[in-house]
Amino acid sequence: MEDLKRILVEHPFFKDLHQEYLELIVGCASNVRFDAGQKLFTEGTEANEFYLIRVGKVAIELKVPGQREIIIQTLQEGDIIGWSWLMPPYVWHFDARAVELTRAIALDGKCLRTKCELDKNLGYELLKRFSSVMVQQFEATRLQLLDVYGNRS
Amino acid sequence: MATDPKLQTIKGEYKQNPMIPWPFQILRVKRETEDTFTLELQPTGDLQEFQFQPGQFNMLYVYGVGEIPISISGDPLNPRILVHTTRAVGIVTKAMDKLPRGEIIGVRGPFGKPWPIEKAIGQDVVFVAGGIGLAPLRPALYDVLAQREKFGKVVLLYGTRTPADVLFRQDLEHWRSRFDLEVYITVDRAMSGWKGNVGVVTTLIPRAPFDPRHTVAYVCGPEVMMRFTATELIKRGVEAHNIYVSLERNMKCAIGLCGHCQFGPFFVCKDGPVFSYSTVKDLLVKWEL
Amino acid sequence: MKEGKTVNACLLERKHFDTLLDALKVRGYKIIGPIVKDNAIVLEPVESVTQLPIGWVDEQSNGVYRLRKTDTPTLFNFTVGPHSLKQYLFPSVQKIFMTQRQGKSTESTVDEKVERKKKYAFIGLRPCELAALHIHDMVFIGGMYSDPVYQVRRKDLFLIVVNCTRAGGTCFCASMKTGPRAERGYDIAITEVYEKNQHYFILEGGSDRGMSLLKELKQGKEIDGRVQKVQELYTKAVQEMGKAVETSKLKDILAQQLEHPEYDNVGNRCLSCANCTLVCPTCFCSTVEDVTELSGASADRIRKWDSCFTLDFSYIHGGPVRLSVKSRYRQWLVHKFSTWIDQFGTFGCVGCGRCITWCPVGIDITEEIVKIRG
């Protein structure tokens, strides 16, 4: 547990978070490991956790009929994956697959959700941090959508 | 290397008349990707060598078809072979793509301001390339690696559309194997099975190993990509005047006489194509400038 | 008038005006001057004084150019027509080189005509046109690279300017400080005086060859006392100038107002026909065309005037940068009054008013500047 706590404290995502909230989050955390090719989660299934990648690489994929899955984004060491646990209907919208051996910390979103409802300050702190991650990804997605290297004609 | 971008290495009539192309012979045409190819050219006649500085460009003339600006993508330390990499997208480049070995192509140049490599001496160097933008940066990479000891960390961040669009694979493999150069590649989209990164090139910036306070960055790619990249570099702590971008505008004469490539107060052909980001950042966000 | 210059001045009676043309011919010059053609005053070869627009007066306003014949037999009582020096020094169509090919070898050669020296004397240029010439010198031969065509044609010009004693309805040279009297850059400056049945010209030498030519002319009697008279004529021209531009801080204002809403307004009226850039004596943009002979044995590269008002002008891979008309109008206006100063150290406008006169919808650059200045 001490090891987990140290990792979480040092991670920029949890920077300056209240000690009591950290304790609470550590209580919801566990070490996980995924082999190359193994899925972290699958589209359409219940979203009850998020991950903080310690080592490895994870691809966010989308199934398209008639072709192989499209990789929308890859995430790696230090990145946070998953925010579907935050908002109803708490269902994954994409697949996440380990590209290589990946070690991560899984955080129990279902447990956190309940705690956030009870303590709005915790809810606000977490939402603030997640919106920052979301905005970054949203900006990257916009640039990706421009398809700047493609033919403009 | 020549310090003066004038046509001093070129002899005879060409020196007096910068509008007349010099004939070069095609030594080799190398396919890079589905729509991208590299031409290796050799000067003919009295001209033995073609000296240039990284970041400069030439006007390439296809007999009877037309002339277009293309940046030089070869090694400045090997002036006997002139190398250009381009995409077959317009009338001239498509015609160029069909030219066989041995054919003659007209060359005017070199033109324009180079990447100011000397500014990075003693500093970390970050190259950020987007798509075909790796081509104008390659001479600068060769140049930096040839005098590697003068620089701190050297990082190449390269983003392109798909894994199939990755240019200069041999070079990249070689560079990746070096211990004194960090290479990160990402693509905008890929199919499952691709082991590399997926995401726009700007996403590589936060995790790349360089000291932002002592970094000079050379950025080349589509204008939008360069803007986003510069913003991300600044966010990381790199100063705007230490970021260099290479702009593209319609260049016809390449010597500041035809007026086409104007960008605000600048003639991109002679005041650029390489500009400090701090010089152009306000102009880049004006509509249709 | 400066003390030194009057010494090198003389008075030429109207009846002896031919001697000026003769002196030029003797020196081997081909004379280009104003003549009436297609209801406009244009610059064409002139052999004798009778070809000049005797008695013709022009009326100009926004989108309007009319010639009117009067009974007064003046030679130069008009302002500027659609032509300027640029037609001669920067031809609208010019072969740059020809490439010939035999088997796999190709050889590019410069057209002989480009190199051939032409010895031109221009008569009847206006002070604003001399200012435009000076601007073109900076563009074409003042930088790191010189335009070979301009360089050859620019040499050995004999320039006879006619100072303006009457201003046109679209003139604003007084604002741009380029007229109505030429300060420099001429070989001979003429001021025409017509009063009380007296018709004569005050001629001033502006160069050694100009002054030496003056000596050969049949001199009129006294010149003293007439100096004051011509000074009054210039003042009158300034007073009747049809347009004006406030130039103070204009460079910075325009650079800061790139997204001024007036550009939307003018962009809606502008037809992007490029007339303004074609008649402008300082516009210098060009494009090139490649023309191949049918057999494929030779290909010519031809330079043609281009305009920043065309869609193609700013084309880069994927499309034109300046897609909207308003962006093209802005490019032109801001270049003339702002970025030109960054590039060449002067305004790119000489206040000749041609762009206002020849605009088919009468867009007035001076009015646009007033609106953008706010």
Side-chain angles (χ1 to χ4, degrees), chain B residues 91-102:
Chain B
I91 297 163
V92 181
T93 44
K94 278 180 180 158
M96 215 174 262
D97 195 15
K98 293 194 181 80
L99 295 178
R101 216 184 125 185

Side-chain angles (χ1 to χ4, degrees), chain C residues 291-312:
Chain C
V291 182
T292 316
E293 199 196 58
L294 271 180
S295 71
S298 74
D300 291 346
R301 176 147 262 248
I302 293 165
R303 182 178 79 181
K304 292 182 168 181
W305 283 1
D306 202 355
S307 170
C308 53
F309 280 91
T310 68
L311 195 54
D312 264 4

